[in-house]
Amino acid sequence: MNRLTASVAASGFACFALLYTPQPVMPQIAHEYGLGPSGASLALSAATLALAVVVVPIAMLSERVGRRPVIVVSVLVAALLGLVLPFAPNYEVFLLLRVLQGIAAAGVPAASMAYLADELGKDRLGAAMGAMIAGNSLGGMTGRLVTGLAADWLGWRGSVLLADVFGLVAALVVVFLLPRAQGRPKRAPRGMKAALTDPVLLSLYAVAVLLVGAFISFYNVAGFQLTGPVWLETLVFLFYGFGSTAAAFAGRLADRYGRGRVLLMCIGVLALGTLASLVWVPLGLAVVTAGFFAAHTTASGWVGARAPAHARGHASGLYLCGFYVGSSIGGTSGSTSYEEWGWGGLVLVVLGWLALAAMLAANSNARVKREAAESAQKSSASVIRGSTGAMAVLPSRGSSGVPSPMPTVTERVSAGTSTTIANGSGPPS
């Protein structure tokens, strides 16, 4: 792993560690401020919703001022706000700081992928993207684990501060090690229209909203449903390891069997995990985590493959926007469902979201197959039309009494035409 890839992975580690730090201690936050599960979930949703709102504009800003300045300022400001967060005197100030932290952190996902694409060749880009996603996942897991494991001894404020120190260390690594760009970003032609008019891309944005909403809903309320010390409940975040493995496996399956089919399979795994949580919550969370990361990998890869070259940045930004909208609005909606109807009610709501996501994925898959079939028909027709004036099938000797429609060389010479044989691209000259 080179210096650029390691630094970008560190920025993802810091960003996700800071964004999801409060999740394991939501019950303690709710108790201190007199909130229910839905109110406490705003501690997470406020930051991710703010990020969703600004991620596309910041991505466009990075094309003007450069990727590196955006990443460095983003990760450093988010880390400094994280150190202030535990000292918020009331819940209103706490939420305001979370909103500012989400806005600050938006520069990392907005510019990181484009920065790697600008600086690395295609032969190294896939591995670099994998390292960046691994940094995101590791940061999200580390922030949650540190907060949850320390909460019983330090309280939620002390544990959040400790986790944010990890985020600050990672941010400083980025500030000092992230190399300068070799050149200015390449500004692509306007691609927002293409990213917003393709029905398949629009469906995938919606799928991102639904899937991450379902996933975050379970983890937002897991602390309220599970019983035991906080450090023990926090161990469910180790299930993210299943997610990393499932994501890599799903990527290989998608290459072999098609993204639409694999995405539907992953949504089915999510549904099975949702039902399994009615029997035993940890089992359900493990299966849901594996299914979600596999589905997210497949859907995001589909966006990149589907979008035209000049619209890939816009399409990826819109997908990320949908991802964080789902994390915030969907996560809060799921918490409200749990507060009103309990775990069984949350399961029913999530199953409804997954059914809608499956319908969108199935329709998109059918559309892609239909387009492929139409394209194949047009290609065949084009070959036939192109061959009529350029090629002629000569009968085998003795197989037909029909004379050849092609003139002989002698006839062509006597007519004053060229004896050059056509190459299939047009009539003879």
Side-chain angles (χ1 to χ4, degrees), residues 330-344:
T332 300
S333 299
S335 299
T336 302
S337 301
Y338 174 77
E339 189 173 353
E340 293 293 329
W341 306 304
W343 190 268

Side-chain angles (χ1 to χ4, degrees), residues 3-5 7-8 68 115 174 176-182:
R3 178 179 168 186
L4 171 61
T5 304
S7 301
V8 171
R68 186 184 186 279
Y115 193 36
V174 176
F176 290 107
L177 294 185
L178 185 64
R180 296 186 181 278
Q182 298 300 312

Side-chain angles (χ1 to χ4, degrees), residues 119-128:
E119 299 297 313
L120 299 178
K122 292 183 178 180
D123 57 333
R124 295 188 293 163
L125 186 57

